[in-house]
Amino acid sequence: MEKEMIAMLLAGGQGSRLYALTQKLAKPAVPFGGKYRIIDFPLSNCVNSGIDTVGVLTQYQPLELNEYIGNGQPWDLDRLYGGVHVLPPYQKAEGSDWYKGTANAIYQNISFIERYNPKYVIILSGDQICKQDYSDFLKFHKEKEAEFSVAVMEVPWEEAPRFGLMVTDENGRITEFQEKPKNPKSNLASMGIYIFNWDILKKYLIEDEADPNSENDFGNNIIPNLLKDERAMYAYPFSGYWKDVGTIPSLWEANMEVLDPEHSGINLFDEDWKIYSRNSGMPGHRICPGGEVFNSMITDGCRISGRVRHSILFAGVRVEEGAQVEDAVVMGKAIIKAGAVVEHCIVAENAIIGPGAVVGAMPSGDEDGVATIGPGVEIGPRAKVGPKAMIYKDVKEGEEQW
């Protein structure tokens, strides 16, 4: 029995630009939007798009991610035939290999894909917040009689040099690929989401693996090789919400956009396209006497006795009396003690901000200044943490970190 299309989800990234947040956590397992993790989005897109077989390729700090995915039941991916499968690098008779690149990761799992004998394979990234119907993408791929299709988004021309760009003709056929060019010929940025005919993908993965000079990467190797051979390659224009949350400012910004679904395009309350999650199972949140909340998302189990403005609080956060939280992302079970001021920052899970402490007051004109407190870190009473500080270790009482 064959599947028409299966998904391969690249979730092995180290997430080094998320610094303190990914010291002990794979990037796709980083919490997002109050009660989700980044990987909830591609998994939910799959099930909402009718894809019931997903291989999740893990590598860096996979334990919490593996545990979170479990048997796939929260996403309706606990199937007898198909479902979700975690695929770490494994030992073979001739030895074992870390995944050397995105293409090599898929190459090492050819036997997994062959079990389902799909006609098409969609390659997804575990690093993005995106709501996308992959069945529309597949329909486009079939109509174009494509061998390879890539989802693209128009970006402002001034930002185009930051992306891999697809140059296309009037029919959407790709004629050139530019990787972060100084002089862009296109503003169609690759989203890193690809559909391949499986026979084509398999052929190019095997050839790529045999090339000792290859970086085994889709952008640097597979796509240029397809172009060189003049394969039928098309760019699928996507107009929904998509954000690569690979940096602290982009992760903070995406969380802030959750608070403004009408303008940002990301609506976590959309009943027609639910984002599924392994729910925390906590009781409802409570705004205590004296607590004030303005334009914020407060998740299960929170207790608010202070003042919260334009912030996202994950499950089990406590904000004590007299504390002020503004423009902040505060992750699960963090405690903001009495009189503390927390502004324009990300506070990771189980962190404690001591009484009277100040974290991340924002200087004017510095849009990139997002202070970050790592998981389990304790900021001592009356300590001060500057607007760009990246805190991995406890800060003592009265100490300043900038």
Side-chain angles (χ1 to χ4, degrees), residues 160-228:
R162 292 176 38 223
F163 295 94
L165 303 171
M166 299 294 165
V167 184
T168 63
D169 66 16
E170 65 276 8
N171 296 316
R173 185 163 181 152
I174 297 164
T175 57
E176 192 179 338
F177 172 59
Q178 293 184 296
E179 182 64 59
K180 299 183 180 173
K182 284 185 180 158
N183 300 306
K185 297 181 186 176
S186 161
N187 68 336
L188 296 177
S190 166
M191 295 165 59
I193 299 174
Y194 315 122
I195 291 180
F196 283 89
N197 293 1
W198 170 229
D199 57 345
I200 295 291
L201 175 58
K202 183 179 177 183
K203 167 182 159 60
Y204 279 82
L205 288 176
I206 291 169
E207 289 175 3
D208 179 68
E209 190 64 23
D211 178 0
N213 299 315
S214 176
E215 297 167 54
N216 307 122
D217 182 79
F218 278 104
N220 292 331
N221 305 108
I222 301 289
I223 294 173
N225 287 341
L226 290 164
L227 263 172
K228 190 173 80 220

Side-chain angles (χ1 to χ4, degrees), residues 51-346:
I51 298 171
D52 65 5
T53 305
V54 185
V56 180
L57 288 77
T58 62
Q59 180 151 286
Y60 173 81
Q61 296 283 15
L63 292 179
E64 193 162 339
L65 183 61
N66 295 356
E67 189 177 63
Y68 183 73
I69 294 170
N71 68 352
Q73 184 271 329
W75 305 274
D76 191 28
L77 288 169
D78 51 338
R79 308 296 178 94
L80 282 174
Y81 181 67
V84 66
H85 298 261
V86 175
L87 303 169
Y90 58 91
Q91 184 115 16
K92 308 176 193 68
E94 68 273 19
S96 66
D97 255 333
W98 279 123
Y99 294 147
K100 292 177 287 193
T102 51
N104 173 259
I106 306 294
Y107 170 83
Q108 288 199 38
N109 288 286
I110 283 176
S111 58
F112 169 80
I113 299 172
E114 296 274 66
R115 283 168 61 186
Y116 300 102
N117 192 25
K119 191 163 183 190
Y120 307 102
V121 174
I122 186 167
I123 312 286
L124 305 172
S125 167
D127 302 348
Q128 302 169 350
I129 303 298
C130 174
K131 292 175 77 175
Q132 181 177 6
D133 188 340
Y134 303 140
S135 60
D136 283 350
F137 187 8
L138 179 59
K139 186 176 169 211
F140 168 91
H141 181 83
K142 289 176 176 175
E143 285 172 354
K144 293 290 187 183
E145 297 183 346
E147 295 172 304
F148 164 86
S149 299
V150 54
V152 295
M153 280 198 80
E154 282 195 29
V155 295
W157 278 94
E158 62 272 16
E159 288 184 30
R162 292 176 38 223
F163 295 94
L165 303 171
M166 299 294 165
V167 184
T168 63
D169 66 16
E170 65 276 8
N171 296 316
R173 185 163 181 152
I174 297 164
T175 57
E176 192 179 338
F177 172 59
Q178 293 184 296
E179 182 64 59
K180 299 183 180 173
K182 284 185 180 158
N183 300 306
K185 297 181 186 176
S186 161
N187 68 336
L188 296 177
S190 166
M191 295 165 59
I193 299 174
Y194 315 122
I195 291 180
F196 283 89
N197 293 1
W198 170 229
D199 57 345
I200 295 291
L201 175 58
K202 183 179 177 183
K203 167 182 159 60
Y204 279 82
L205 288 176
I206 291 169
E207 289 175 3
D208 179 68
E209 190 64 23
D211 178 0
N213 299 315
S214 176
E215 297 167 54
N216 307 122
D217 182 79
F218 278 104
N220 292 331
N221 305 108
I222 301 289
I223 294 173
N225 287 341
L226 290 164
L227 263 172
K228 190 173 80 220
D229 293 347
E230 298 184 351
R231 291 291 180 179
M233 304 169 67
Y234 285 86
Y236 167 70
F238 175 69
S239 56
Y241 184 88
W242 171 71
K243 181 156 278 181
D244 186 323
V245 287
T247 65
I248 291 290
S250 64
L251 178 62
W252 175 84
E253 192 177 283
N255 274 279
M256 292 293 109
E257 285 171 342
V258 166
L259 300 172
D260 189 15
E262 289 81 13
H263 296 101
S264 70
I266 179 166
N267 180 6
L268 298 184
F269 310 102
D270 182 356
E271 286 297 312
D272 295 327
W273 198 268
K274 285 185 180 175
I275 303 300
Y276 299 93
S277 169
R278 194 173 286 284
N279 201 332
S280 60
M282 290 186 174
H285 64 264
R286 180 167 179 239
I287 314 299
C288 302
E292 296 179 344
V293 177
F294 302 88
N295 189 24
S296 297
M297 181 183 281
I298 311 297
T299 316
D300 302 354
C302 288
R303 297 288 178 269
I304 314 296
S305 300
R307 186 183 178 97
V308 178
R309 278 183 174 273
H310 199 254
S311 295
I312 287 185
L313 273 54
F314 287 68
V317 167
R318 285 210 330 259
V319 179
E320 294 186 354
E321 202 172 326
Q324 297 183 51
V325 177
E326 186 162 346
D327 291 336
V329 177
V330 185
M331 295 178 180
K333 297 186 179 176
I335 300 172
I336 316 297
K337 298 270 194 175
V341 177
V342 172
E343 285 184 19
H344 210 276
C345 62
I346 295 179

